[in-house]
Amino acid sequence: MTKTFNLQYPDKMTASAFEGAVADFLALNGLVVSPDAVCFPGFCDVHVHFREPGFSYKETIASGSRAAARGGYTAVCTMPNLNPVPDSAEHLREQTEIIRRDATVRVYPYAAITVGQKGEALSNFEEMCADAIAFSDDGRGVQSESMMREAMARAKTLGKMIVAHCEDNSLLHGGYIHAGAYAAAHGHRGICSESEWGPIARDLKLAKETGCAYHVCHISTKESVDLIRRAKADGVDVTCETAPHYLVMDDGDLKEDGRFKMNPPLRSAADREALVAGLLDGTIDMIATDHAPHSAEEKGKGLEGSAFGIVGLETAFPVMYTRLVKTGILSLDRLVDALALAPRRRFGIPLGGDFTVWDLKAEFTVDPAQFLSQGRATPFTGERLFGECQLTVCDGKAVYSK
């Protein structure tokens, strides 16, 4: 079996030690994989929505973590737009109890920045600090500068990170796709790019002021890339993520279908090109899916009426490998770093002996009916992709096997 191990590992694990762990597991369990198979460290997604508690008709910890394992992920971080919102120790405990009972892979919950994600009062950071991977109001932007400054100051004292969904509500004007050529041609209300990069500019200033570790969710605009690139050069403690769909699609790919509706929206070709450049030069640290399942009814109302969000855990690696690696745009090592190692380095998530085995020569057609996720909405339906997961091992257990 070929192994892609020429990477810097967290936890001071050497490449040879990791290879040994893989070989030991396969031998101990009597597993034989194809000589052409490639083994990677377990992927880590710092941005998923598993919808439980509160919205289990969309997804559960059990179904979401099974989908993660099939996608090669052994660690994920779940966003707090739940019911109840994890804004207190009691509310967070409702989620962690389900995680302990049902999770197939390691699941690390976020705690909310503000009570009820309403932006009016800070949550009790101190009582949730031990069980939360970081603090985020993802799904909503923190609108108040003073509120975000206070949140960053408090997170800094606790050694925790602020993870921000950056969206200025005053600039949305009822938009639901990018304010670009497609919206203009088809009579749709658009979301301007400044609604994202404006809050990022504000937060970067606050992160420099407070010294807080700051991570930006799902960036989609060229201005966001430029702002973060400059902030890094200026010494701000900032990282960011983007998602596979923003790297390989733009608003020229839109169709009148809810499976193309996500927040932030698919932007222009220039934005997509800037995101790829940011991934190549390290401005964009990692790739996260923003896996956001909804029911078929919620996603079946076209671009205007459908809920925001698509699923992505089971297609992330094949999409990136097919569209960027096989075309020579991105190296395989850089892709694996962005999917597996950079997230762990930034969020302090251990790798241990977790790994995933892939057949990169296997070709398949994306069929949402075959997903393990309860969500089915993906813009990649019907695409021919390369790369099938053969095995995922988490904490010494085979959590997915083809």
Side-chain angles (χ1 to χ4, degrees), residues 248-282:
V248 302
M249 286 184 162
D250 55 55
D251 67 345
D253 296 300
L254 286 172
K255 293 180 174 61
E256 295 294 313
D257 191 311
R259 64 192 177 91
F260 290 85
K261 184 178 182 181
M262 69 287 291
N263 190 23
L266 295 175
R267 302 285 185 182
S268 69
D271 291 305
R272 176 181 53 75
E273 291 164 3
L275 293 169
V276 172
L279 181 63
L280 291 173
D281 71 15

mmCIF file of all heavy atoms in Angstrom, residues 248-282:
data_model
loop_
_atom_site.group_PDB
_atom_site.id
_atom_site.type_symbol
_atom_site.label_atom_id
_atom_site.label_comp_id
_atom_site.label_asym_id
_atom_site.label_seq_id
_atom_site.Cartn_x
_atom_site.Cartn_y
_atom_site.Cartn_z
ATOM 1 N N VAL A 248 -14.331 25.212 -6.436
ATOM 2 C CA VAL A 248 -14.501 24.608 -7.768
ATOM 3 C C VAL A 248 -15.752 25.092 -8.492
ATOM 4 O O VAL A 248 -15.964 24.725 -9.652
ATOM 5 C CB VAL A 248 -14.518 23.067 -7.681
ATOM 6 C CG1 VAL A 248 -13.243 22.545 -7.053
ATOM 7 C CG2 VAL A 248 -15.736 22.557 -6.927
ATOM 8 N N MET A 249 -16.585 25.914 -7.839
ATOM 9 C CA MET A 249 -17.797 26.432 -8.482
ATOM 10 C C MET A 249 -17.895 27.934 -8.284
ATOM 11 O O MET A 249 -17.300 28.499 -7.352
ATOM 12 C CB MET A 249 -19.047 25.770 -7.893
ATOM 13 C CG MET A 249 -19.269 24.339 -8.318
ATOM 14 S SD MET A 249 -20.828 23.694 -7.665
ATOM 15 C CE MET A 249 -21.067 22.284 -8.737
ATOM 16 N N ASP A 250 -18.650 28.569 -9.156
ATOM 17 C CA ASP A 250 -18.958 29.986 -9.000
ATOM 18 C C ASP A 250 -20.384 30.228 -9.466
ATOM 19 O O ASP A 250 -21.103 29.281 -9.817
ATOM 20 C CB ASP A 250 -17.949 30.863 -9.744
ATOM 21 C CG ASP A 250 -17.828 30.498 -11.215
ATOM 22 O OD1 ASP A 250 -18.869 30.482 -11.914
ATOM 23 O OD2 ASP A 250 -16.697 30.225 -11.677
ATOM 24 N N ASP A 251 -20.819 31.500 -9.486
ATOM 25 C CA ASP A 251 -22.229 31.746 -9.796
ATOM 26 C C ASP A 251 -22.583 31.447 -11.251
ATOM 27 O O ASP A 251 -23.756 31.387 -11.600
ATOM 28 C CB ASP A 251 -22.657 33.154 -9.383
ATOM 29 C CG ASP A 251 -22.009 34.268 -10.176
ATOM 30 O OD1 ASP A 251 -21.000 34.014 -10.873
ATOM 31 O OD2 ASP A 251 -22.508 35.414 -10.104
ATOM 32 N N GLY A 252 -21.575 31.211 -12.081
ATOM 33 C CA GLY A 252 -21.847 30.740 -13.432
ATOM 34 C C GLY A 252 -22.338 29.307 -13.477
ATOM 35 O O GLY A 252 -22.860 28.860 -14.509
ATOM 36 N N ASP A 253 -22.180 28.582 -12.378
ATOM 37 C CA ASP A 253 -22.625 27.189 -12.299
ATOM 38 C C ASP A 253 -24.022 27.046 -11.706
ATOM 39 O O ASP A 253 -24.549 25.933 -11.608
ATOM 40 C CB ASP A 253 -21.650 26.373 -11.439
ATOM 41 C CG ASP A 253 -20.264 26.305 -12.045
ATOM 42 O OD1 ASP A 253 -20.154 25.800 -13.178
ATOM 43 O OD2 ASP A 253 -19.309 26.759 -11.402
ATOM 44 N N LEU A 254 -24.621 28.163 -11.296
ATOM 45 C CA LEU A 254 -25.919 28.091 -10.622
ATOM 46 C C LEU A 254 -27.005 27.534 -11.529
ATOM 47 O O LEU A 254 -27.003 27.736 -12.740
ATOM 48 C CB LEU A 254 -26.332 29.483 -10.137
ATOM 49 C CG LEU A 254 -25.596 30.035 -8.917
ATOM 50 C CD1 LEU A 254 -25.975 31.491 -8.688
ATOM 51 C CD2 LEU A 254 -25.885 29.208 -7.678
ATOM 52 N N LYS A 255 -27.930 26.829 -10.897
ATOM 53 C CA LYS A 255 -29.146 26.354 -11.548
ATOM 54 C C LYS A 255 -30.325 26.709 -10.637
ATOM 55 O O LYS A 255 -30.139 26.996 -9.449
ATOM 56 C CB LYS A 255 -29.089 24.845 -11.786
ATOM 57 C CG LYS A 255 -28.036 24.427 -12.795
ATOM 58 C CD LYS A 255 -28.035 22.915 -12.985
ATOM 59 C CE LYS A 255 -27.086 22.503 -14.107
ATOM 60 N NZ LYS A 255 -25.678 22.887 -13.811
ATOM 61 N N GLU A 256 -31.518 26.682 -11.202
ATOM 62 C CA GLU A 256 -32.715 27.034 -10.430
ATOM 63 C C GLU A 256 -33.121 25.863 -9.552
ATOM 64 O O GLU A 256 -34.162 25.228 -9.738
ATOM 65 C CB GLU A 256 -33.841 27.435 -11.386
ATOM 66 C CG GLU A 256 -33.556 28.694 -12.178
ATOM 67 C CD GLU A 256 -33.480 29.931 -11.297
ATOM 68 O OE1 GLU A 256 -34.368 30.119 -10.443
ATOM 69 O OE2 GLU A 256 -32.519 30.704 -11.453
ATOM 70 N N ASP A 257 -32.265 25.588 -8.571
ATOM 71 C CA ASP A 257 -32.427 24.398 -7.738
ATOM 72 C C ASP A 257 -31.849 24.699 -6.361
ATOM 73 O O ASP A 257 -30.746 25.256 -6.241
ATOM 74 C CB ASP A 257 -31.687 23.219 -8.383
ATOM 75 C CG ASP A 257 -32.007 21.878 -7.739
ATOM 76 O OD1 ASP A 257 -31.950 21.784 -6.500
ATOM 77 O OD2 ASP A 257 -32.283 20.914 -8.475
ATOM 78 N N GLY A 258 -32.573 24.293 -5.312
ATOM 79 C CA GLY A 258 -32.132 24.565 -3.951
ATOM 80 C C GLY A 258 -30.814 23.940 -3.573
ATOM 81 O O GLY A 258 -30.181 24.363 -2.606
ATOM 82 N N ARG A 259 -30.370 22.938 -4.325
ATOM 83 C CA ARG A 259 -29.088 22.316 -3.985
ATOM 84 C C ARG A 259 -27.897 23.198 -4.341
ATOM 85 O O ARG A 259 -26.750 22.845 -4.041
ATOM 86 C CB ARG A 259 -28.965 20.945 -4.644
ATOM 87 C CG ARG A 259 -28.950 20.940 -6.149
ATOM 88 C CD ARG A 259 -29.123 19.525 -6.703
ATOM 89 N NE ARG A 259 -29.177 19.523 -8.159
ATOM 90 C CZ ARG A 259 -28.120 19.387 -8.951
ATOM 91 N NH1 ARG A 259 -26.919 19.224 -8.413
ATOM 92 N NH2 ARG A 259 -28.237 19.387 -10.258
ATOM 93 N N PHE A 260 -28.155 24.352 -4.945
ATOM 94 C CA PHE A 260 -27.102 25.326 -5.231
ATOM 95 C C PHE A 260 -27.167 26.523 -4.279
ATOM 96 O O PHE A 260 -26.481 27.514 -4.486
ATOM 97 C CB PHE A 260 -27.202 25.816 -6.680
ATOM 98 C CG PHE A 260 -26.822 24.775 -7.683
ATOM 99 C CD1 PHE A 260 -27.757 23.850 -8.136
ATOM 100 C CD2 PHE A 260 -25.514 24.686 -8.151
ATOM 101 C CE1 PHE A 260 -27.408 22.873 -9.053
ATOM 102 C CE2 PHE A 260 -25.157 23.708 -9.067
ATOM 103 C CZ PHE A 260 -26.107 22.793 -9.520
ATOM 104 N N LYS A 261 -27.973 26.407 -3.231
ATOM 105 C CA LYS A 261 -28.152 27.529 -2.302
ATOM 106 C C LYS A 261 -27.447 27.237 -0.989
ATOM 107 O O LYS A 261 -27.785 26.281 -0.285
ATOM 108 C CB LYS A 261 -29.640 27.775 -2.055
ATOM 109 C CG LYS A 261 -29.904 28.990 -1.166
ATOM 110 C CD LYS A 261 -31.388 29.219 -0.998
ATOM 111 C CE LYS A 261 -31.673 30.449 -0.143
ATOM 112 N NZ LYS A 261 -33.122 30.676 0.064
ATOM 113 N N MET A 262 -26.471 28.064 -0.684
ATOM 114 C CA MET A 262 -25.738 27.954 0.570
ATOM 115 C C MET A 262 -25.340 29.355 1.032
ATOM 116 O O MET A 262 -25.418 30.312 0.265
ATOM 117 C CB MET A 262 -24.507 27.044 0.423
ATOM 118 C CG MET A 262 -23.388 27.593 -0.448
ATOM 119 S SD MET A 262 -23.704 27.608 -2.228
ATOM 120 C CE MET A 262 -23.705 25.858 -2.619
ATOM 121 N N ASN A 263 -24.920 29.457 2.280
ATOM 122 C CA ASN A 263 -24.545 30.758 2.841
ATOM 123 C C ASN A 263 -23.162 30.682 3.491
ATOM 124 O O ASN A 263 -22.991 29.919 4.436
ATOM 125 C CB ASN A 263 -25.578 31.185 3.896
ATOM 126 C CG ASN A 263 -25.394 32.619 4.344
ATOM 127 O OD1 ASN A 263 -24.819 33.427 3.629
ATOM 128 N ND2 ASN A 263 -25.866 32.930 5.527
ATOM 129 N N PRO A 264 -22.186 31.439 2.987
ATOM 130 C CA PRO A 264 -22.286 32.397 1.890
ATOM 131 C C PRO A 264 -22.551 31.717 0.560
ATOM 132 O O PRO A 264 -22.344 30.507 0.421
ATOM 133 C CB PRO A 264 -20.920 33.094 1.914
ATOM 134 C CG PRO A 264 -19.999 32.116 2.547
ATOM 135 C CD PRO A 264 -20.811 31.391 3.567
ATOM 136 N N PRO A 265 -22.985 32.508 -0.426
ATOM 137 C CA PRO A 265 -23.345 31.920 -1.716
ATOM 138 C C PRO A 265 -22.126 31.670 -2.596
ATOM 139 O O PRO A 265 -21.019 32.160 -2.307
ATOM 140 C CB PRO A 265 -24.227 33.008 -2.334
ATOM 141 C CG PRO A 265 -23.651 34.286 -1.794
ATOM 142 C CD PRO A 265 -23.235 33.962 -0.379
ATOM 143 N N LEU A 266 -22.314 30.915 -3.666
ATOM 144 C CA LEU A 266 -21.292 30.806 -4.690
ATOM 145 C C LEU A 266 -21.082 32.188 -5.287
ATOM 146 O O LEU A 266 -22.033 32.843 -5.715
ATOM 147 C CB LEU A 266 -21.724 29.824 -5.781
ATOM 148 C CG LEU A 266 -21.894 28.363 -5.363
ATOM 149 C CD1 LEU A 266 -22.455 27.546 -6.532
ATOM 150 C CD2 LEU A 266 -20.581 27.768 -4.874
ATOM 151 N N ARG A 267 -19.832 32.629 -5.299
ATOM 152 C CA ARG A 267 -19.511 33.986 -5.762
ATOM 153 C C ARG A 267 -19.079 33.965 -7.233
ATOM 154 O O ARG A 267 -19.384 33.045 -7.975
ATOM 155 C CB ARG A 267 -18.418 34.576 -4.876
ATOM 156 C CG ARG A 267 -18.763 34.650 -3.389
ATOM 157 C CD ARG A 267 -19.734 35.747 -3.076
ATOM 158 N NE ARG A 267 -19.965 35.891 -1.640
ATOM 159 C CZ ARG A 267 -20.812 36.757 -1.107
ATOM 160 N NH1 ARG A 267 -21.521 37.548 -1.885
ATOM 161 N NH2 ARG A 267 -20.970 36.829 0.199
ATOM 162 N N SER A 268 -18.330 34.974 -7.640
ATOM 163 C CA SER A 268 -17.929 35.113 -9.033
ATOM 164 C C SER A 268 -16.719 34.246 -9.348
ATOM 165 O O SER A 268 -16.045 33.718 -8.451
ATOM 166 C CB SER A 268 -17.568 36.576 -9.325
ATOM 167 O OG SER A 268 -16.358 36.922 -8.649
ATOM 168 N N ALA A 269 -16.405 34.127 -10.641
ATOM 169 C CA ALA A 269 -15.216 33.381 -11.050
ATOM 170 C C ALA A 269 -13.954 34.020 -10.473
ATOM 171 O O ALA A 269 -13.017 33.317 -10.079
ATOM 172 C CB ALA A 269 -15.143 33.322 -12.570
ATOM 173 N N ALA A 270 -13.920 35.343 -10.394
ATOM 174 C CA ALA A 270 -12.758 36.027 -9.824
ATOM 175 C C ALA A 270 -12.582 35.688 -8.346
ATOM 176 O O ALA A 270 -11.460 35.534 -7.856
ATOM 177 C CB ALA A 270 -12.889 37.539 -10.011
ATOM 178 N N ASP A 271 -13.690 35.580 -7.638
ATOM 179 C CA ASP A 271 -13.629 35.180 -6.231
ATOM 180 C C ASP A 271 -13.102 33.756 -6.101
ATOM 181 O O ASP A 271 -12.233 33.475 -5.265
ATOM 182 C CB ASP A 271 -15.014 35.278 -5.588
ATOM 183 C CG ASP A 271 -15.492 36.707 -5.428
ATOM 184 O OD1 ASP A 271 -14.769 37.509 -4.822
ATOM 185 O OD2 ASP A 271 -16.589 37.014 -5.921
ATOM 186 N N ARG A 272 -13.634 32.858 -6.921
ATOM 187 C CA ARG A 272 -13.169 31.465 -6.879
ATOM 188 C C ARG A 272 -11.668 31.376 -7.149
ATOM 189 O O ARG A 272 -10.936 30.659 -6.449
ATOM 190 C CB ARG A 272 -13.936 30.624 -7.905
ATOM 191 C CG ARG A 272 -13.465 29.177 -8.004
ATOM 192 C CD ARG A 272 -14.243 28.402 -9.048
ATOM 193 N NE ARG A 272 -14.265 29.054 -10.345
ATOM 194 C CZ ARG A 272 -13.235 29.083 -11.192
ATOM 195 N NH1 ARG A 272 -12.087 28.503 -10.870
ATOM 196 N NH2 ARG A 272 -13.350 29.686 -12.365
ATOM 197 N N GLU A 273 -11.185 32.111 -8.135
ATOM 198 C CA GLU A 273 -9.763 32.089 -8.457
ATOM 199 C C GLU A 273 -8.927 32.632 -7.301
ATOM 200 O O GLU A 273 -7.835 32.115 -7.009
ATOM 201 C CB GLU A 273 -9.509 32.895 -9.728
ATOM 202 C CG GLU A 273 -10.074 32.228 -10.975
ATOM 203 C CD GLU A 273 -10.180 33.179 -12.164
ATOM 204 O OE1 GLU A 273 -9.744 34.352 -12.026
ATOM 205 O OE2 GLU A 273 -10.696 32.748 -13.210
ATOM 206 N N ALA A 274 -9.422 33.656 -6.623
ATOM 207 C CA ALA A 274 -8.705 34.216 -5.472
ATOM 208 C C ALA A 274 -8.653 33.219 -4.320
ATOM 209 O O ALA A 274 -7.650 33.140 -3.597
ATOM 210 C CB ALA A 274 -9.371 35.515 -5.020
ATOM 211 N N LEU A 275 -9.725 32.453 -4.137
ATOM 212 C CA LEU A 275 -9.742 31.432 -3.091
ATOM 213 C C LEU A 275 -8.717 30.338 -3.379
ATOM 214 O O LEU A 275 -7.993 29.895 -2.474
ATOM 215 C CB LEU A 275 -11.136 30.823 -2.970
ATOM 216 C CG LEU A 275 -12.239 31.749 -2.445
ATOM 217 C CD1 LEU A 275 -13.597 31.103 -2.636
ATOM 218 C CD2 LEU A 275 -12.017 32.120 -0.988
ATOM 219 N N VAL A 276 -8.644 29.896 -4.633
ATOM 220 C CA VAL A 276 -7.649 28.880 -4.992
ATOM 221 C C VAL A 276 -6.245 29.423 -4.750
ATOM 222 O O VAL A 276 -5.390 28.725 -4.178
ATOM 223 C CB VAL A 276 -7.831 28.439 -6.457
ATOM 224 C CG1 VAL A 276 -6.677 27.537 -6.890
ATOM 225 C CG2 VAL A 276 -9.164 27.715 -6.636
ATOM 226 N N ALA A 277 -6.001 30.664 -5.146
ATOM 227 C CA ALA A 277 -4.686 31.264 -4.915
ATOM 228 C C ALA A 277 -4.378 31.353 -3.427
ATOM 229 O O ALA A 277 -3.245 31.111 -2.990
ATOM 230 C CB ALA A 277 -4.628 32.653 -5.556
ATOM 231 N N GLY A 278 -5.405 31.671 -2.626
ATOM 232 C CA GLY A 278 -5.215 31.748 -1.178
ATOM 233 C C GLY A 278 -4.913 30.401 -0.560
ATOM 234 O O GLY A 278 -4.132 30.301 0.400
ATOM 235 N N LEU A 279 -5.522 29.355 -1.098
ATOM 236 C CA LEU A 279 -5.222 28.009 -0.613
ATOM 237 C C LEU A 279 -3.789 27.620 -0.968
ATOM 238 O O LEU A 279 -3.071 27.026 -0.169
ATOM 239 C CB LEU A 279 -6.210 27.006 -1.207
ATOM 240 C CG LEU A 279 -6.062 25.549 -0.780
ATOM 241 C CD1 LEU A 279 -6.298 25.386 0.725
ATOM 242 C CD2 LEU A 279 -7.024 24.654 -1.568
ATOM 243 N N LEU A 280 -3.366 27.986 -2.165
ATOM 244 C CA LEU A 280 -2.018 27.635 -2.621
ATOM 245 C C LEU A 280 -0.941 28.367 -1.831
ATOM 246 O O LEU A 280 0.119 27.797 -1.536
ATOM 247 C CB LEU A 280 -1.874 27.940 -4.114
ATOM 248 C CG LEU A 280 -2.687 27.053 -5.060
ATOM 249 C CD1 LEU A 280 -2.587 27.578 -6.493
ATOM 250 C CD2 LEU A 280 -2.206 25.616 -4.995
ATOM 251 N N ASP A 281 -1.177 29.630 -1.476
ATOM 252 C CA ASP A 281 -0.115 30.385 -0.789
ATOM 253 C C ASP A 281 -0.215 30.327 0.734
ATOM 254 O O ASP A 281 0.582 30.937 1.436
ATOM 255 C CB ASP A 281 -0.063 31.841 -1.287
ATOM 256 C CG ASP A 281 -1.237 32.704 -0.832
ATOM 257 O OD1 ASP A 281 -1.970 32.325 0.095
ATOM 258 O OD2 ASP A 281 -1.420 33.794 -1.421
ATOM 259 N N GLY A 282 -1.207 29.582 1.251
ATOM 260 C CA GLY A 282 -1.314 29.403 2.699
ATOM 261 C C GLY A 282 -2.162 30.438 3.407
ATOM 262 O O GLY A 282 -2.344 30.346 4.627
#
